[in-house]
Amino acid sequence: MLKTLSLSNFKAWSDLHIEFGRLTGIFGRNSSGKTSILQFLLLLKQTKDATDQGLTLDLGGPSQLINLGTSQQILNRQAKTSTLRWTLSWHLPEVLKIVDPMGKRTDILFSSKHISLEVEIKVEEQDIQTQALAYIFDGYRFEIRSENAGSSHYLLEASSDSGREFQFIRHKGRAWKLPEPIKTHLFPDQVKTYHQNANFLGLLETKYEDLMSKIYYLGPLREPPQRNYQWSRVQPWDVGYRGERAVEAILAAKHRNEKRNLKKGGKYKTLEEVVAYWLKHLGLIQDFFIAEISPGSSLYEVKVQVDRASDPVSLVDVGFGVSQILPVLVLVYYVPEDSIIIMEQPEIHLHPSAQSGLADVLLQVAHHRKLSIIVESHSEHLLRRLQRRVAEGQYEAQDIKLYFCDRAKGRSILQDLQVNKFGEIHNWPQNFFGDELSEITATRKAALKRKIQEERTSQE
């Protein structure tokens, strides 16, 4: 589970520190840096997945997860340095125990559930070079750092903040210099081959790659519904960045006989039934199902029943909001437990009541399936429902992290919205969702003024 991200000199952010909860909501004004936070996490995932080991950062292209342009475009324009730094911290599902590489197999040298990765990168016009990379684990810092600025030679060091000692031991006769780290998270292979007791670093690298593999993304622009869908029994990894594979995911889960329950101890349902339940619960439709057009055709039609009195119709023939929320519902139940889901504007095209209900969906599934959900949203109704559930005591305030992004003097600012146990936000930003009281007052004044004018006109 993601815990914290500290970041400096990336796009709109000169400095950023954010702590993640079971559900993290990021709100704010347009062009205030909200999307840049999500983009950075996706950049790390994209870099980890890159097949080119020579890439320090995979900035992407038109058909990739994200496309950040050139190396200069990822830097904060007001920064006086070309160095990009970040620290990412996360918790493991279980304690990781590392055996003493120089001792007995039963000797545990390091043990913890918490890992942090610190990275420092030099960004030049034609080159991106990792200057330093360090894993922090069980109070130790295992770091590879450039000997000096711009050097292609690196040093490997271990240090401890608790006074405990650990030293990397070189193989005799292998005093060659170490090369640059690989990507943003891998020690060069020479670290393991040149040292007698450095193989355990591969475990930390693997845990980071596992973390990146758990990230799933759904963008703000979803594909419109289709009259029919073709499925050749391919099992998609997720629902696609635009939700284009949501129907395939439902069919794949049904083919594998996968089932989910809505809460602990609840009745297990197919993914199709879970989606139908929530669409009805949100007040969008009465029923939802997928039917093969003809046996063996591999062509399927998504059918919905708007209310009890109506006949089932194609998804294309109902309101756009149903097709837009469909990938959201499928994604949160399709991915494995302990996944990290990043979503932009999941509430798009939903009416206010359904936006509020969506907050309940995200809260329930995040806790029940142990997901970490990060949502960028503009919905006041979604936020208000989150506050209400905290006030009702259904969820702990610390499990829901809410942030407001703003911009001042050309810099993005992240404000941690402090929600107490009563669901109240103490540091509510001015005009967060507009000035509701002023709008009501102005409307009533205008109405009164018109009534007076009309009464005067009728008397004349």
Side-chain angles (χ1 to χ4, degrees):
M1 178 179 173
L2 278 178
K3 292 305 295 179
T4 62
L5 170 66
S6 296
L7 175 64
S8 63
N9 204 18
F10 179 74
K11 297 190 70 172
W13 298 97
S14 57
D15 287 291
L16 168 75
H17 179 78
I18 182 170
E19 181 179 346
F20 300 100
R22 183 62 66 186
L23 176 61
T24 304
I26 303 175
F27 302 84
R29 310 186 199 284
N30 293 332
S31 302
S32 60
K34 303 186 301 298
T35 303
S36 294
I37 300 174
L38 309 185
Q39 285 180 338
F40 183 77
L41 293 172
L42 297 176
L43 171 62
L44 297 184
K45 176 180 176 62
Q46 183 165 276
T47 299
K48 173 262 174 186
D49 291 337
T51 56
D52 186 352
Q53 296 288 305
L55 280 177
T56 302
L57 283 175
D58 186 355
L59 302 181
S63 60
Q64 290 184 256
L65 179 57
I66 53 170
N67 181 6
L68 296 177
T70 67
S71 58
Q72 294 299 303
Q73 290 174 313
I74 68 172
L75 292 175
N76 183 269
R77 294 186 178 182
Q78 291 192 332
K80 297 179 181 180
T81 176
S82 58
T83 301
L84 180 64
R85 296 184 180 89
W86 69 88
T87 301
L88 187 70
S89 300
W90 70 100
H91 280 332
L92 302 174
E94 298 178 349
V95 174
L96 173 63
K97 297 179 181 180
I98 296 178
V99 176
D100 186 350
M102 302 296 290
K104 299 178 181 178
R105 293 184 178 182
T106 56
D107 293 341
I108 304 300
L109 187 58
F110 314 116
S111 175
S112 180
K113 290 184 66 174
H114 182 80
I115 304 179
S116 294
L117 173 63
E118 292 186 8
V119 181
E120 180 181 310
I121 286 181
K122 187 76 171 179
V123 180
E124 302 291 353
E125 188 170 344
Q126 301 295 330
D127 185 47
I128 303 178
Q129 181 185 18
T130 302
Q131 296 290 100
L133 181 158
Y135 282 92
I136 295 89
F137 182 75
D138 193 20
Y140 288 88
R141 180 184 183 88
F142 308 107
E143 180 176 31
I144 183 169
R145 174 176 290 277
S146 175
E147 288 186 340
N148 50 63
S151 174
S152 59
H153 295 156
Y154 288 74
L155 299 173
L156 179 67
E157 298 176 336
S159 58
S160 172
D161 56 9
S162 62
R164 295 177 295 171
E165 292 187 2
F166 175 85
Q167 290 185 344
F168 289 108
I169 302 174
R170 277 265 191 168
H171 284 291
K172 292 182 179 180
R174 298 187 182 182
W176 304 290
K177 298 289 186 179
L178 292 172
E180 180 182 355
I182 301 171
K183 299 185 179 181
T184 61
H185 67 283
L186 296 171
F187 293 95
D189 294 337
Q190 290 85 343
V191 163
K192 288 91 168 180
T193 57
Y194 290 1
H195 297 83
Q196 301 177 34
N197 57 346
N199 283 338
F200 72 89
L201 296 175
L203 292 174
L204 302 180
E205 296 168 339
T206 299
K207 293 303 178 182
Y208 174 84
E209 292 190 337
D210 289 345
L211 178 75
M212 291 296 108
S213 296
K214 291 179 180 180
I215 294 178
Y216 298 86
Y217 171 67
L218 181 62
L221 302 175
R222 264 86 83 184
E223 289 289 328
Q226 300 179 31
R227 185 67 61 180
N228 54 65
Y229 296 83
Q230 185 170 11
W231 182 57
S232 55
R233 298 187 181 276
V234 173
Q235 299 180 8
W237 176 254
D238 55 15
V239 300
Y241 309 146
R242 296 172 61 91
E244 69 275 9
R245 309 197 76 178
V247 174
E248 290 181 52
I250 295 175
L251 293 171
K254 184 176 183 179
H255 179 71
R256 296 195 300 263
N257 198 31
E258 289 185 1
K259 294 192 176 182
R260 304 280 190 260
N261 58 349
L262 296 168
K263 58 183 178 180
K264 187 176 181 180
K267 181 181 178 181
Y268 279 85
K269 303 174 180 289
T270 65
L271 181 55
E272 183 178 337
E273 291 171 333
V274 169
V275 170
Y277 169 85
W278 281 119
L279 289 174
K280 180 179 179 180
H281 184 80
L282 293 172
L284 297 173
I285 56 175
Q286 177 65 28
D287 198 8
F288 166 94
F289 60 93
I290 301 175
E292 191 171 14
I293 293 176
S294 60
S297 67
S298 298
L299 289 176
Y300 296 81
E301 186 176 18
V302 178
K303 292 279 194 175
V304 296
Q305 185 179 6
V306 178
D307 54 49
R308 293 182 181 275
S310 62
D311 294 326
V313 297
S314 172
L315 181 63
V316 177
D317 298 323
V318 297
F320 203 58
V322 178
S323 66
Q324 298 301 287
I325 192 63
L326 178 62
V328 175
L329 299 176
V330 175
L331 180 61
V332 296
Y333 282 98
Y334 185 71
V335 300
E337 289 191 4
D338 201 39
S339 295
I340 302 163
I341 296 177
I342 298 174
M343 286 190 272
E344 295 187 65
Q345 300 182 50
E347 77 283 353
I348 195 168
H349 292 292
L350 292 182
H351 59 77
S353 176
Q355 292 181 32
S356 299
L358 177 59
D360 286 330
V361 178
L362 298 180
L363 280 172
Q364 181 167 322
V365 72
H367 282 78
H368 177 54
R369 304 198 66 231
K370 300 178 182 178
L371 304 177
S372 297
I373 300 179
I374 305 170
V375 173
E376 183 269 317
S377 174
H378 294 104
S379 174
E380 177 180 6
H381 306 284
L382 190 149
L383 175 64
R384 296 290 191 186
R385 179 60 59 87
L386 296 177
Q387 291 180 261
R388 172 184 167 184
R389 294 310 184 211
V390 172
E392 291 173 344
Q394 295 189 27
Y395 300 94
E396 297 294 331
Q398 62 265 26
D399 290 337
I400 303 173
K401 301 296 295 183
L402 302 175
Y403 295 92
F404 180 78
C405 290
D406 206 349
R407 201 165 177 84
K409 297 181 180 180
R411 297 178 56 191
S412 289
I413 301 170
L414 186 71
Q415 186 173 354
D416 184 352
L417 299 179
Q418 300 170 10
V419 184
N420 63 20
K421 64 181 180 180
F422 305 109
E424 301 166 335
I425 297 177
H426 293 295
N427 54 337
W428 191 274
Q430 187 176 7
N431 296 328
F432 189 172
F433 288 112
D435 190 345
E436 182 179 4
L437 181 59
S438 295
E439 291 291 331
I440 294 173
T441 302
T443 301
R444 290 181 176 176
K445 285 183 177 179
L448 180 60
K449 183 178 180 180
R450 290 195 64 176
K451 288 179 180 179
I452 293 174
Q453 289 175 342
E454 290 180 1
E455 185 175 345
R456 288 177 178 175
T457 301
S458 63
Q459 291 178 353
E460 293 177 355

